[in-house]
Structures are given as structure tokens and as C-alpha cells.
Amino acid sequence: MAPRTAPVATEVEESHSIPGLQFNEPLSWRAGKPIPVADLLRRLQALSKEMRGMEQEQYERDSFTKVAKELVNPNLLSHKDKGVKALTASCLVDILRLCAPDAPFTGQQLRDIFNLIISHILPALADPSHAYNKQHIYVLDSLAVVKSIILVADIPSADTLVKNVFKICFDVLSAPSKISDGEVLQKTVEMNMTAMLVCLVDETQALPPEVVDIIVAQFLRTDPKAISGNGGKNKKNGIIDEKQSTLELRQLPPAYNMAKYICNACPEKMARYFSQYFNEIVIDASKTSSHRVPSKNKKRHSDGLDDSDDDHTGGPSEEGISDLRKVHGLLRELWRACPGVLQNVIPQLEAELSAENIQLRLLATETFGDIISGIGAAGPPPPPNMDPAAYPSNALADPLENTASLNLVTKPSSPQPFPIAHPQAYSNYLGRRLDKSALVRAAWTTGVGRILTTSAGGAGLSQQEEDRLIADLGRMLGDSDDKVRIAAVRAVGRFSFREIIHKLGRSGGVDESGSILATLAERVKDLKHPVRVEAMPVLARIWGVAVGEISAGNEQVCALLRGIPSKILNTHYTNDLEVMVLLDQIFFQQLLPLNYPPIRAKNNKLTNGNSQGVKESQGELTDPDKIRTERILLLTRDLDERAKKVFHINQSRQPTLAPYVTAFLERCEEYNGGVMDQNEPQIRDHLTKLIKTFAGRFANPQQASADLWKFVKLHDRRSYQLIRFCMKPDSDYRTVIKAIKELTKRIVEISPSTTASNSLVETLTPLLYQISLIVYNKSHVPAIMEYSRTDDKSVAATAHELLRQISSQTPEVLKAHVQELCKTLQDEAPTGQKANDTGAVDNLKACASFASKYPKEIPQDPKFREAMTSFALYGSPAEAAKYAVSVIWAASQKKEMLVRDLVQQCLKGFQYGGEGFLSRLATLSQLMLLAPNEIDQGSTDAILDIAIKQILLHVRAPSTKSTDAYEWSATVDTEALAKSWALKILVNRIRSHDDADSLPTVAAPVYHLLSNLIEQQGDLAPALNTPPAHKSRLRLLAARLYLKLCTQKSHEALLTPSAFNALAVVAQDSIQDVRAGFLQRLKKYLHHQKLTQRFYTIPFLFAFEPNDEVRSDVTTWIKSRAAVFSNIKSQQLGSSSKVNTVMESVIARLVSLLSHHPDYASEAEELIDLSRYFIFYLQNVATEDNISLIYHIAQRVKACRDAVSSKPAPDAPPTEADNRLYHLSDLAQITIRKYEDIHHWTIQTLPGKVRLPSSLFSEIKSHSEAQRIAEHNYLPEDVEAGVEQLLKAALRASRPGPGKKRKSEGDSEGREGKKMRGPPVRKAAGTGTAKEKKPAAKKTAVTTRTPKSKRILEPKELDSVERRRSGRAKQVEKSYVERDSEEDDEEMYMVDAAAAAEEPGTDSEVDDAQAGESDAEMDETVVTNQGQDEAEGVEEVLAPEPEEEKEEPTPTTMPKTKPKSTSKSKRKSTISPQAKNKARLKAKPRAKGAKVSTGGKTQQMTSNGDDDDDDDELSDPPDSE
């Protein structure tokens, strides 16, 4: 029982049965006669020893009276000797113990006693090496066990003593050991102090506020900012150097544990104290706000927020907010340590969630998120180990990471499940997801991420609650504010690999719309670049960590994550140079890290760019090149078609840019740091052009240009050599990576400042990635070849594809391995009884591509030639024979003899269906192209006889369906393949014909055959019984072969305008695969500038394309080409060359093409429908700068006559073809004017006349006739209103939906459309006077039929049949020579943008690069047009508001029209069941049950210098991209 204070006894009761104290030596002395210290110590020790053995109530209490009186003598309590004080205190606590409950001391004496204990004894416990440490510990033990400490509470005005007790105890536990041998405090000291303080808290009615502050301060010991704030001089603002993470606190301090135990032992009392403490802080913070005087020069709190975040309400000052932050940090730690003391604080904190002041809501939201997560003042635990360069990669079967559990300070811990303990507060916290402030929503998002990753601080979440929070996190990834999206991305980035699979993966993978991973993948194409910068590394890191499981074939991981590389690479199509640079960084830092794998090569002491090593037992593979190659193949294998094109085109940048960089380095050496002896202007000018080219690849070309000039002026020759190492084909992977690292380090060392070096590194690094042989490196070739043979990891097809790409783009890399490749082909050669491996085709293609550039490297031994001959005769599929012939022709020394032998072997006993007959046809086709002169006339006739009579005109499986049946099949039968090769034989024969005089005669039958295939829907059989699936394939092949022929100027001249018009209609074939396949080949040839400008007309026929993906692809491509030509035009301004008008001049050709289109009709509804073509053209080509020229050209058409159908006499009246031209010219003009008016542009009158192609138009000789035509309006009166409605609907549909508005070019928000202006004044042909056209409303139509009512047309989704298309075109008279074809380009002011690129190092190389010949262009060419709107259809993501949907145009019903007679156009029309208006569909009739494809993909074609373009027209479906 604890002792109590009592008065000193005046009378001694005699008790003869209870013994008393035996000690009888004096302990006090008179002044001037002190007891020697030694004697005093001896006496005190004797007294202490005697009393320690005594038990309470077993000895006479009165016997202690004398000793007690002497012990409280000031001489002892204030003695200078520490031993005397220690022994005195020891004796005093025994007196208190033995005399309990009534202490034999007065109140003042107790004060003196506890002053001694608190001031001298307790602080001495901090030194375990003290000579009297045992006495100190005994005193503490007695105070704690006997609870004598409660006597302090009975002393009057004891607040100071209580405060000192707490202060000294916590100081002792927080102080380090004072001796050098590392001795620490005994655990009993901490336990006794804790028990003593708990007893004191229990017995004290009210703790002083200072004591509460002391207890509170202990919980901040885990806060690194608080620790550092009290630490060394170099620690500012609590910032801790990350390199000193090993010095961070990892165990809970004893003082912290003592405070935690006190709070948990007295929860009710401490709850009151902490509630009062929290209230005082909040009140003080509120008071500071009322006294705050805003300064004019001081920024408001809300200035850093957006408009939605500024609530314009008064709030705490900066000082008050700082105090509140400390308190909220304390609350986090209190929940981890002692949640019971917060029972009164949580409701107060909950009220802050609904506060008007945003900063209070933000603080409360952050605090609740950390409290629920069990995160204390030390902050969240370190992020999980997600290193994409680690090998072996993370595996789901690995044991759970326990690194976080080693650090008790940061380990999330929630003693109670918060949702259960405080359900109302938890519910209110979840409601902050819809807070009006983006900052609060961002903080909420961060908190939810932490709750999920920590499982609510280890307390656990129910499956339902976890799914709810994951769904909420996914919604925040699509929030309308970029700050929230960034917070959501970062939250996902803190999930471990296991959590991503088992938690986030439950909602679906990256390819499943609506899943959180799919939403994260969308953020890589976010409109805000900071969001992309955060999202792309997170997404790439997830795949990099998962690559081990993907390689192992884990189906769950593959299904969830294998689509990540495609999502990342598809950002290439966002038309953003910042994204391009970021994409390179992510690709070589996350997807394929340069230092992957961090292991040593076998039998090699050096590592691949990393000093770390991994034991051989850690993985089956120890060859770093093979490990890296496997990762490359796995990545490429899972790419979709669009992403695969980006991957290959990114690798093709190296051979494209390398010559320019070589020239740049040469000019740098000549520049010599600015000191030149000669040719200074030329060198400087050339460097300027080259730097301008490179800078154009960056979003900030000015900064990039400045950095490159810094590099030039540094003039470091070692840097030049390192860059050359990166580009050299014979550099292995290790050499390339070491060169990149050394160059980066060297630039930092030699740059004059850190800022300059960082900027220069940021500029050079993307260029180094683009010019270095990293992926297509010679170190990877052996492993690629091995995987192509073994099909390990199911990557054989991908390995073959990479070999093809390497051979075509960087064949130099194959030099060291071509012998091995040829040996493999020799071993796989087929015979009549044995077929070759399917992968041999890819190896042959790679070998053929290599042989075309390095024929001397191909083996010349007879066995290899025999193997190639076997492939030519028996190769399967037939493409193998074609490539074998290419190898023979390129590498053999006796070409003529081998060709004759091959021809004879192919013709000998040829029979359809015979052994290897398809391979023989392919061989003959390739020989017709490569060696026509080596084939005698007799053999040529025999070949033609086989191709025409035995193959093309013979139908072996006649169709039993209607003659109009027309469909697509995913598989191709043997007969269709045979006809494909037969057609190629005929086309290759005229392609290789070198006699220009006889070419028209030789080519005429072939052109006639191709035209019939196109116009007759692929049917050549006299009985019209060709199988429907063959017809679509043959029509597509004929169109592609036409395009191939037109890549040669001599052949292009033979394509008449009427034949061209028939060819163009293939773009509107009823089958999507045919349209997409034709478009793919057209874009390829136009991109490589192999076709003349008239072929740019065809893409605009896709205005009615029903497939969104194909239409988007066409739109993107057209806009990119328009940007290229616009760039050329801007360079030509002020020069002597003619200004480029390629895209503008297309309008005249488009008018001519539509006037001969099978769907043309002069009725108002039909003309309004035709205006869609012009709208589509204007949306993709028109700008404020060229709208006047476009209008001028469209207007000029009306001053001409049609020259396609026939050439009329000069004085003949207008023909039907002329009237069509005039109708469409007026239609184009009114569409242009409406488009110009909507965009608030101004059409200027252009001086002079534009000459139109004489092959399409002829001039009107009669002035009066020309004037009459010019003044007459050929459009029905309903057309203008219909065009305006249709145009507005089209523009509305092309703009972003609600919440995503972007200004269109020249547009201004909130501005009403101005009144329609009249057309610009133009001069009538042949006159000098200008007449103004009458308003459209007063014009009369040339037709006499009753006008139809006006209608509103809105674009709507069309299926594959509800679409404008041409059926069978009319048979027209054919002539295979186009008149005045050479004049067209001159008359249209066209600049030859297709000029061949000059040798690198010349002055024109910059112009060539800027003309669109950069490596970044491809079939889906992406060229950034700075200052203009982004291309329509480009894949981009704008985060929507929650629960918000896109605005869709409202379709309206169109009036029905009577069907026209089919006799006029010699074609039939049918109406789709879904179509209500015949004007929207003019399709060829199909047989019942005929199939119409709505999907399909085109195989990517690669040109290797031979006839590779048409390899798979019939073997694989075309690409719909």
C-alpha cells in the first residue's frame, strides 16, 4: 500500500512484541563539525542494508522516526558527494515503504525528498556506468513498486514536480548511453519508469498542460522531419538525404514506447487531455486567421490552387496551418500507438471533412487516409521493389517481402479496424471522392491507394469493401482534373507486383475496357503531359517486373499484362513530340532497360554495363545476350499490329538517321570549336541545317538547338568517337551501352555548369536512343536464330520476323552470322518427298534482302545453290520459291545458266495440281521480273500460256451462287493462290520490259485484264462462275498490281483517266478487307513518293467509310501528309522554286473523279450526299492559309470542259459530262464557303489563273459560253441549306464532347456565327470585268423537276453495307495512253516532293528530312503540325468527368426517294434493310446469304528491293489499319 503523509509522532507507543530498527549511529552533525564522507557513506550503507531486508508491518514504525528525521536533514539532501545523495535517497524510499501508508514527513520535507530524487537520482539513471547506479535503480524500483511516487500528488503546488518527473524520465529514456563501451539502459529501468508514470497519471486529478505536451512530443519521435529539425546544422526544413537511409530510425524509441504504454493504460484520462489539446490547437489556428492582414506583395494560400479550389472563405494563417499539420501528424501516430485516446478527437476531425475552408478539408482527408492505412508520422513504408531491370524478375511464387516489417517505425499498423470502430467517419471520408476541390480528391485518391496497399493498416478489408475501393480508384484515374489523375497513377505505382495481380487484376486486364489497368493504360495518352510522364513509367514498370511470369507462360499474368507494350507504343499516334521523346526513354529504361540483365557473361569477368552479378543458380540462362533477346522477342510477340509497326519503324530510325549524324560529326570536326581556316560560312550553314533537323524532333526545338550548338562548341573528339561506336554495325551490345554511359558521364564532366550539362544530356539521350544499334544488335542475332529454330517460349514466328527486319533495315548486322543462316537454309532445303520448315520462308526473305546488298557474302558452294534450287522448285509456301530465286539471282556467278535451267525445270511436265506447281509459278513470276532477257521467246510463250489458259481463264471449282455473289474468306484455296501467281507473272513481264517504244503494245492486254478484274468484281470467267471468295481476292490483287505498275513513270502514263477512276472506286468496295488492303498499299507507295499526285485523290473517297478504325486511319494519314506538304511550302516561300500545292490541287481532281463516279446524280438529295466528300476533304486539308487557293481551284473547274469521256469540239454545247462538272464545281464552292463562314475565315481573290490538268479538263474557247456557265448556278435550291446542316453536323461530331472542348483552328468560343457572305468576286473567263454572283436563294436550278423539301442531315454510324459504294462501273472505251500526262504537274504548280534524297552531308539533307522522309513516318504517318489542331482520329485520351458521357449527334430521318432506273448506269442497286434512303447506298446487289466482312487485318508488307509487296494478298487477310 502506498504511504501517506502523517504528522510526526510525539509519543512512542511501547510495543514489546515487534522489533525495531537496530541502526543507532548519528547521520547529522552540527555546523562546523561535519561527519567525514567515508564515515557517512559507511553509516548510510549500513542503514540501507538493514532496511532493505525489512518487511512492512513487521517492525516497529516508531523506531524509524529518528532516522527519518536525520535523513531529511538539509546536510544530507544537499550533500556534495553523489554517493551520499544516492544512499540517502535509497534510505528514504525504504522509510516510505516501511512506514506506509503514513509517511513520517511533513509536506515540505516530502518536497525536499522528491526534489532530491527528481533532480539527482532519476537523471543519473541515464548513465548505467555510474558508481552508484544500483542505488539509483533501487530508488526507481521502490517508487514504482511501492507506488511512493503518488505522494507527489499530495504535495501542495506539485505541478512543477510532476512536470519534472515526466520530463526527466522521458529524457533519460531518449538519451544515448554516456559510456564508450556501448552499455545501455537495463530494460527494468524503462519498465519501472513507465509503471511509475502510469501510477502518477492515475492518481493525479489533472495533469499540467506541460506534461501533456511532453507525452505528445514522444509520439513525434518517429517523424523524420521533427528529428531532423532538431538535428544537425546541415538539415534544413526536415529534409533527409536519401543516401543516408541507413541512418533512419528503424525501431521504436523507448521514450515512444513509454508514452504509448501510458496512453493505453489510462485511455479515458488521456482521451480527455488529447481532446483538449487538439481543440486548443484548432482554436489557436482559427484565431490567427482573424488577425491576419493580407499583404499586397504576399501570395494568398489559394493562389496556388485553381479556381475550383479557391473557396474564397477565411481560413487559418500559414502559421496556423503549420500547427495543424503537426497536430494531424500526431493524430496519425496516436492511432497507430493508442487509438483509444482518440475517441473524442475523431468526431472533431470528421467535422473538418465538411469544413468550408479547403485547407482544413485537405488536411482532414490526408489524415483520415493515413489513419485508416495505419501510417504514422514517419510516413508511408518504402515502395515495393519493382525493378524492371532485375533478373530473375519477380515471381508470384516468391515469399512475401518482409523488408517493410523490419522497420517498425514505417510499418503500417492499425490496432483497430477503423471502418468498424468509426463507421460514420469512414463513410464521410469515402464521400470526399466527390469533393469539389481537385486537391482534396487527389489527397483522397492517395489515401485510398494506401488503404488498399496496406490492407487498412493490417486490419484487413472485406472482399466487397476492397472491390469498392478499387473501383473508386479506377474512377479517379479518369477524373476531369489532371492533379487527381496524377495522384491515382502514383497510387497504383505503389502497389506491389503481387497486389497488382491479385487485387487490381480482379477488375480485368489492360485490354478489358473499364478495368483499372485499362484505365491506367489510357492515361499514357492523356492530353496533359504531366499525367503521361507519371503513367507511362508506372505501366512500363509493371510489365518489366512481370516479364518473368510472362516468359514462364503464367496465363493469369499474360491475360492481364501482355497488352501493356502495345498500349505504350501506340502513344506514337498521338502526334505529340513530347510523347515521342518520352516513349524512347520508357522503352529503353523500363521495357528494355539498357542494363538488363545485371549479370556477368559466362566466362567473362566483365559485365554488360553493370557491376552487379547474379549466381548461375538464380536462373537457367547465364548468357546475358540470350536473356535480353528473349525479352525483346516476348515484347514483340505480344504487340498488336499498330504497335508492331511502331516498334519496327522506331528501329528503322537508326539506318535513316545514322548518315545525318555522321555528317553532323564531320561538320563538328571541321567547325573545330569555332576556329576554322576555310569554308567557315559553308560549314556553319550546314551545321545550322543539320541542327535544325535534329531539333525538329523535340517539342522545344529552340532549347534543343541551343543544346546541340553547345555540344558543337565543346568540341570533344572523344564524344564524337563514342557516338560513332553507338552507330557502328560491328559494335556489340556491351560496346554500345558503355559508349552511351561514358558519353553521358563525359558531358557532365566537361560542361561548364550543372544546368548546361543536364539540359545537354536531356537533348542528346533521345538522339542516342534513336541512332544506336540497341535492339537490332549483332549480339542478339545468334539468340534470335536459335529461337527461330527451336520455338522456345513460342517466339519462333517473332524471331523470324525480327530476322527479316534486320536483314532489310540493317543487313550489316547479319554479316557475321550470314554463313550460319545459309547453313540453316541448306539443312532445311525441301525435296519432292520432304517439305521445308514453315520458318524457312522468313529465313529466305532475310537472306534475299541481305544478298541484294552484300552478294559477295553469300556462299558460292554448289550445295547451297542446290538448296536454293530445291526451294525454287518445291518450297512451301510458294513465297519461299520467290525468295530463293532472288538469292540465286543476287549471289550466283553463273546467273544465266541457272536461270535457263530453272525455267526448263519449271516448265517440264507442268500441270495444275502437280508436285510443287505453286512454287514453280512463283519461281517463274520472279524470273520474269529479274531475268526476262535470259528467258527465250519459246519459254516466254509457254509461261504465258500456263498463266492465262491453264490458270486464269479456267475455273476448276465453279460457283453455284448468283453471279452477283461477292464475299471474303479468311482462308485462301489453292486455285486462288495459283491465279494470284499467274497475274504476277503477267505484270512482272511488263514491269521488266525495257523497250519504251513497244511497251504500250505489250502492256495493253495486261492493263485490259486488270481493268476487267476491277470493273467486273474480280470475275474473268466467260461463264461468270468464279467463286465469290476468289473474286474479292482477285479484285484486290488487280488494284494492288495497278498501283505497283504506276510506281514506274512509263507505266503510270499508260493508266488513262477513265481507268484511274475505275481503280479509285476500289476504295469503296463493299468488303472492308478489300478497302483496307487497297488503302494500305496506296498509303505505302504515296508515303515513299512512288506515285504521282493524282493518287492523292483516292483517300478522299473514304468519306463514307463505315469502319471507324479505318476512317480514323485515313484521316490521320491525310492530315499528316498535308502537314508535310505545308512544311515544304513554308520552306519554298520566297525561293525561286514553285510553291507546292499538291493537297490543294486535289480538289480539282476530286471534282473530276466524282463527276464520273457511278453514284453521281443531279438530284438535290444526291448532291447533298456527295458534299460529304468535300466536307471530308476540307476537314483534313483546309486551313486559313490555303482556303482561298482551294476555292479558286474549285471555281476554276467551272471554266473548263470535261476531257475524260471525250474531247468535244470547241463550239459544241456542254455535254452531260460537262454538266456534271459544273454541278460539282458549284457544290464544292458552296461547301467551301459554308466551311469558311463557320470558321470565320476570309476567302481572298487570287491574282491570275490556275491551270488544270489537260488530261482531265479542256478549256472553253467561247467567251460568251464561258461567261454564261460561270454566272449560272447549277445547284437545286434545296442544296445550300442541306449542305450547311450537314457541314455543321459533321463538324460537331468531329469535336470533343462536353468538358473536352478544344478550339478549332480559327474558331472562337462564345461567338455567334456571322451572316453568310456572298462569294468573292472572280473574273469570267476571257473578260476583264468581274461580276458578282446572285445570292444562292435567288438562283434557279438547271433541272426542271419539282424541288424537294429541305432536310436536316446528321452523320450516323453506318455498317459495312449502309455506305456509299460503287457497283459494277460502266464499260468504257479504253486507251492506255494518257494525254498530256507530263504537263499536269507543271500546270498544277506542283513541286517534286518525291525527289530522291541526296547523299548525307549535302545541303539538301535537311530539306529532305523536313519533307517527310524522316524515319518517323510510316503507313500511319504521324507528323506534328505545330500550331494546328491535332489530327482527327488520332488516338488520344481526355479524362472525362465522372458519370459523364460523350455528346453524340442525333440522327434524323431522311426523306425517301424513288429508285432510279438501272438502265442508265448499267448497274443495279439494292437497299440495305437498315437504310431508308437510297441516296446513302448505291451498292451492287448480293446473292442471298452473301457474306460481307466487317473486319480483318492486312499483313504488313515490307519492300526488300524485289517483288515483296504482293506476297500475301491471297494468303492472309489485308490489314484494316
Side-chain angles (χ1 to χ4, degrees), residues 1369-1381:
K1370 294 189 297 184
Q1371 297 294 331
V1372 295
E1373 182 180 352
K1374 299 178 178 62
S1375 172
Y1376 293 96
V1377 178
E1378 181 179 356
R1379 294 184 300 275
D1380 303 316
S1381 61

Side-chain angles (χ1 to χ4, degrees), residues 1167-1168 1171 1174-1175 1178 1187 1191 1194-1195 1222-1238 1243 1273 1275-1284 1287 1316-1320 1333-1337 1339:
L1167 290 174
I1168 293 173
S1171 69
F1174 299 121
I1175 294 173
L1178 293 172
I1187 190 71
Y1191 182 82
Q1195 197 177 48
Y1222 305 151
H1223 276 80
L1224 291 171
S1225 176
D1226 280 343
L1227 182 64
Q1229 291 178 59
I1230 192 63
T1231 307
I1232 295 170
R1233 291 203 308 270
K1234 296 291 184 183
Y1235 191 84
E1236 167 254 352
D1237 188 72
I1238 291 175
I1243 296 179
N1273 178 26
L1275 296 178
E1277 61 181 11
D1278 294 344
V1279 171
E1280 183 173 350
V1283 169
E1284 184 174 7
L1287 181 59
M1316 181 58 138
R1317 298 186 300 270
K1333 281 192 174 183
K1334 299 177 183 179
K1339 295 178 183 177

Side-chain angles (χ1 to χ4, degrees), residues 1180-1201:
N1180 294 296
V1181 176
T1183 65
E1184 189 173 8
D1185 295 329
N1186 66 6
I1187 190 71
S1188 299
L1189 178 59
I1190 293 173
Y1191 182 82
H1192 188 60
I1193 295 174
Q1195 197 177 48
R1196 176 66 179 146
V1197 172
K1198 206 172 178 182
C1200 301
R1201 303 187 66 175

Side-chain angles (χ1 to χ4, degrees), residues 509-553:
V510 294
D511 295 322
E512 298 181 40
S513 178
S515 70
I516 188 171
L517 291 176
T519 310
L520 174 65
E522 292 173 358
R523 297 280 68 78
V524 301
K525 294 180 289 187
D526 197 283
L527 284 182
K528 298 287 187 178
H529 188 63
V531 181
R532 299 192 294 259
V533 171
E534 293 288 344
M536 204 175 290
V538 170
L539 196 64
R541 185 166 61 248
I542 292 173
W543 185 88
V545 172
V547 71
E549 291 290 346
I550 294 175
S551 174

Side-chain angles (χ1 to χ4, degrees), residues 1212-1325:
T1215 63
E1216 175 63 22
D1218 296 335
N1219 287 330
R1220 289 185 172 196
L1221 273 182
Y1222 305 151
H1223 276 80
L1224 291 171
S1225 176
D1226 280 343
L1227 182 64
Q1229 291 178 59
I1230 192 63
T1231 307
I1232 295 170
R1233 291 203 308 270
K1234 296 291 184 183
Y1235 191 84
E1236 167 254 352
D1237 188 72
I1238 291 175
H1239 286 79
H1240 310 293
W1241 297 339
T1242 302
I1243 296 179
Q1244 305 291 337
T1245 302
L1246 299 181
K1249 294 192 302 182
V1250 176
R1251 299 183 62 190
L1252 304 181
S1254 60
S1255 58
L1256 302 179
F1257 307 97
S1258 61
E1259 190 175 354
I1260 301 176
K1261 300 298 183 182
S1262 172
H1263 166 66
S1264 59
E1265 180 67 13
Q1267 188 170 4
R1268 183 190 68 80
I1269 294 172
E1271 294 176 351
H1272 184 68
N1273 178 26
Y1274 285 81
L1275 296 178
E1277 61 181 11
D1278 294 344
V1279 171
E1280 183 173 350
V1283 169
E1284 184 174 7
Q1285 294 292 335
L1286 188 63
L1287 181 59
K1288 289 181 178 179
L1291 293 177
R1292 186 165 57 249
S1294 66
R1295 289 172 181 163
K1300 303 179 276 293
K1301 180 180 288 187
R1302 291 181 298 167
K1303 291 184 180 181
S1304 61
E1305 188 173 349
D1307 201 2
S1308 90
E1309 292 183 10
R1311 185 169 155 189
E1312 297 293 335
K1314 56 184 179 181
K1315 190 175 181 180
M1316 181 58 138
R1317 298 186 300 270
V1321 177
R1322 69 173 177 86
K1323 295 181 180 180

Side-chain angles (χ1 to χ4, degrees), residues 97-111:
R97 174 177 62 85
L98 296 173
C99 296
D102 299 322
F105 304 109
T106 64
Q108 183 59 42
Q109 290 174 336
L110 285 175
R111 181 184 296 277

